[in-house]
Amino acid sequence: MFENWSVDNFLDAFSIILAIIGGIFAYRQWSYANKTRRTELLNQIMEKLRFDKEMAETMYAIDYGTRWYDESFHNSNTDFEYKLDKLLSFLDYICYLKKEKHFAEAEFRILRYEVTRVCTSFQVQSYLWNLYHFSNKQGTTCSFQDLIDYGIDSGSIDHSIFKDKNSGYYPKYLNF
């Protein structure tokens, strides 16, 4: 088979083999670097979510079932709405990253409790329902749409009740 090959043919074949080996090596390095970046991102997200004082306090209020969403919520002088929006924005970002497949399922599992717990909270659902329908009336997308989509897709939020602005299930506090 190789008796008709010239030195140039052997050098070409050897070059191709070296290029393939180099490509495999480069892919492995790229894959490892990508995995390291995702791990660092996940660590930064966990640090912020669990150790940022405002987010932790807000998560505790949700976790322990504190009633905070009522008719005075949007008119109050407390900073709880700001803290809640900060937490929900961060969780929305996490859901966006999951949707765009920046997390593997095993990586997202680390964050699933916080996201799911927030989505199953009736207080949060009521707030999101009001914002969702108010945003729709304004002709725009809700600020927390990826979080809402995750809640619906995971079954934490009932799609048919949430999408119905006249359901009567959630208290209506915004004008839509």
Side-chain angles (χ1 to χ4, degrees):
M1 172 177 175
F2 296 111
E3 62 260 0
N4 293 334
W5 280 39
S6 68
V7 173
D8 287 340
N9 293 119
F10 278 112
L11 289 176
D12 288 344
F14 184 69
S15 296
I16 291 171
I17 291 170
L18 284 179
I20 291 171
I21 291 171
I24 291 170
F25 179 74
Y27 174 77
R28 288 188 58 185
Q29 289 296 102
W30 173 81
S31 180
Y32 178 76
N34 192 32
K35 187 173 185 177
T36 301
R37 278 192 302 273
R38 284 196 343 246
T39 302
E40 289 170 358
L41 174 64
L42 185 62
N43 184 55
Q44 290 171 354
I45 287 172
M46 287 182 344
E47 289 281 325
K48 183 147 180 85
L49 186 59
R50 295 186 179 150
F51 300 112
D52 177 279
K53 184 176 169 69
E54 290 176 340
M55 285 196 203
E57 286 174 359
T58 308
M59 190 67 201
Y60 291 146
I62 292 167
D63 229 0
Y64 294 117
T66 304
R67 186 175 187 274
W68 47 265
Y69 193 61
D70 57 25
E71 56 279 344
S72 67
F73 180 80
H74 295 285
N75 300 321
S76 65
N77 292 328
T78 68
D79 60 346
F80 187 76
E81 185 174 6
Y82 162 77
K83 290 178 183 180
L84 178 67
D85 285 349
K86 180 179 177 181
L87 175 66
L88 295 181
S89 293
F90 198 68
L91 294 174
D92 186 70
Y93 175 64
I94 291 169
C95 292
Y96 167 78
L97 291 175
K98 179 185 181 343
K99 179 181 79 175
E100 295 297 316
K101 298 184 181 1
H102 289 280
F103 291 133
E105 191 58 37
E107 294 166 333
F108 182 73
R109 192 174 338 160
I110 296 169
L111 304 168
R112 180 175 282 126
Y113 172 79
E114 284 85 358
V115 176
T116 301
R117 182 64 187 101
V118 165
C119 286
T120 58
S121 164
F122 181 76
Q123 295 291 304
V124 172
Q125 286 182 19
S126 297
Y127 180 58
L128 291 175
W129 180 81
N130 276 269
L131 292 178
Y132 175 82
H133 290 289
F134 183 78
S135 298
N136 282 346
K137 180 182 178 188
Q138 305 304 313
T140 188
T141 305
C142 182
S143 301
F144 309 115
Q145 192 61 52
D146 289 315
L147 179 62
I148 292 168
D149 291 343
Y150 172 82
I152 289 170
D153 293 343
S154 69
S156 301
I157 298 173
D158 185 304
H159 177 268
S160 61
I161 295 173
F162 192 86
K163 297 289 179 153
D164 182 2
K165 69 179 183 176
N166 299 313
S167 73
Y169 183 74
Y170 298 111
K172 182 178 177 183
Y173 298 127
L174 293 176
N175 185 19
F176 55 83

